[in-house]
Amino acid sequence: MKITEAVKSGRILISDGAWGTFLQQKGLKPGECPELWNLDRPDDVRAIAAAYIAAGADMVESNTFGGNRFKLAHYGLADRVAEINEAGARLSREAAGDHRHVIASIGPTGEILIMEDVSEEEMYAAFKEQAVALAKCGADAICIETMSALDEAELAVKAVKENTACEAICTFTFERSVNGDYRTMMGVSPEQFAEAMLAAGADIIGANCGNGMERMIEIVKRLRAAEPAIPILVHANAGLPKNVNGVDVFPESPEQMAAWVPALVEAGANIIGGCCGTTPEHIKAMKSML
Ligand SMILES: [Zn+2]
């Protein structure tokens, strides 16, 4: 069953939690390419996906967030996009088995179209290359995430829809301004995002990172008001970070975070998981709230 069909049947689905901090726990060093672990440390990567599945997640992402050729070029790995993404999707598929979904991760390229860093054609080709590799090795859906620019996200959604059979999920990262409004770093409002992603062909929209559950409720209300029918996914941080000795610490416990789940569902969310600071314990606590 497709994720959108499961949502339409009335189920609330649970997604997974953070990957970056998990990789660090397993020994990823600053300056190391996280996605290269798909080839060099496959057992550790598969274990992360398996931990979220064991916690009760209905779907799991993949270790491919920075797996586009622009990001991999920083590590001299631009010619290994297919290999790295295929391995990442395969490892999550092995952990998910046949009865859980793999929503393979695609993050921003780090290039800005309006600055003419790259052309639209080059950016589209990079997303296509990554999406095709992910689809080939087991992705059911592609989760385009942490986006802030409409033009870049539109190209990513189109690259997924035009070149794979995967469902396209797209989540933006919104920041709260002093007057309580929400915009991305590039100035996009939740309403502008929702309208543009629907037009581009996204199957599921939502928000990730930047906010804890409390602020995600406000964002989801606006997305739901703008688009009454589309499934909404939320990957919230474990609260707002507190700087402790130069390190960001995410303060919400699994129980504190899970306590927001009913209000988030009430606001219109259909799929709920975590971003920075969340662990399998957070996912387990959210699952038990349903
Ligand atoms: Zn995050």
Side-chain angles (χ1 to χ4, degrees):
M1 190 191 278
K2 284 182 175 288
I3 297 171
T4 47
E5 289 167 11
V7 167
K8 283 195 183 101
S9 77
R11 284 182 63 201
I12 302 298
L13 302 176
I14 292 291
S15 184
D16 68 357
W19 279 71
T21 41
F22 219 141
L23 287 162
Q24 286 159 14
Q25 266 176 33
K26 290 185 177 289
L28 181 77
K29 305 274 183 315
E32 218 183 322
C33 174
E35 292 77 21
L36 191 57
W37 273 40
N38 297 341
L39 303 178
D40 293 348
R41 305 273 298 264
D43 292 343
D44 287 313
V45 174
R46 192 190 303 102
I48 294 174
Y52 284 122
I53 295 293
D58 298 300
M59 61 193 74
V60 65
E61 293 199 70
S62 59
N63 181 36
T64 54
F65 178 77
N68 64 76
R69 68 168 42 243
F70 300 109
K71 283 280 174 71
L72 290 179
H74 297 308
Y75 304 99
L77 297 169
D79 56 346
R80 299 180 75 182
V81 172
E83 189 187 356
I84 286 170
N85 284 281
E86 286 172 13
R90 193 178 302 121
L91 292 168
S92 287
R93 173 50 65 202
E94 287 167 5
D98 294 333
H99 304 291
R100 299 284 186 273
H101 294 287
V102 173
I103 59 168
S105 173
I106 287 186
T109 58
E111 311 292 323
I112 301 177
L113 284 167
I114 53 167
M115 301 297 285
E116 300 182 353
D117 289 344
V118 296
S119 69
E120 289 199 359
E121 291 74 21
E122 288 169 312
M123 195 179 266
Y124 177 91
F127 285 130
K128 175 182 172 181
E129 178 181 36
Q130 192 181 4
V132 165
L134 295 169
K136 181 181 167 190
C137 290
D140 301 300
I142 308 275
C143 187
I144 301 155
E145 55 184 352
T146 325
M147 287 283 167
S148 59
L150 284 181
D151 47 11
E152 180 174 14
E154 282 165 356
L155 290 173
V157 169
K158 285 179 182 164
V160 169
K161 297 302 289 182
E162 291 168 2
N163 300 284
T164 77
C166 294
E167 295 181 287
I169 304 168
C170 188
T171 63
F172 271 40
T173 300
F174 296 98
E175 291 164 9
R176 195 166 120 124
S177 66
V178 282
N179 63 6
D181 192 16
Y182 289 92
R183 298 270 165 170
T184 72
M185 206 167 60
M186 300 294 282
V188 180
S189 72
E191 292 79 12
Q192 290 169 325
F193 153 70
E195 185 187 47
M197 290 311 106
L198 245 76
D203 300 290
I204 298 167
I205 62 170
N208 78 295
C209 209
N211 298 284
M213 295 285 253
E214 187 174 16
R215 291 184 178 182
M216 286 298 195
I217 291 167
E218 296 179 39
I219 294 167
V220 168
K221 281 181 183 166
R222 288 178 60 175
L223 295 176
R224 184 47 81 218
E227 297 296 343
I230 195 162
I232 293 177
L233 176 149
V234 173
H235 284 147
N237 290 349
L240 298 173
K242 294 196 166 71
N243 194 288
V244 179
N245 302 322
V247 182
D248 279 347
V249 175
F250 292 87
E252 285 189 2
S253 69
E255 293 69 30
Q256 286 171 319
M257 220 179 151
W260 295 107
V261 166
L264 195 59
V265 171
E266 176 77 9
N270 307 99
I271 306 167
I272 301 171
C275 198
C276 303
T278 60
T279 66
E281 291 305 312
H282 288 83
I283 299 307
K284 200 174 180 178
M286 288 187 227
K287 177 92 176 179
S288 68
M289 280 304 284
L290 295 178

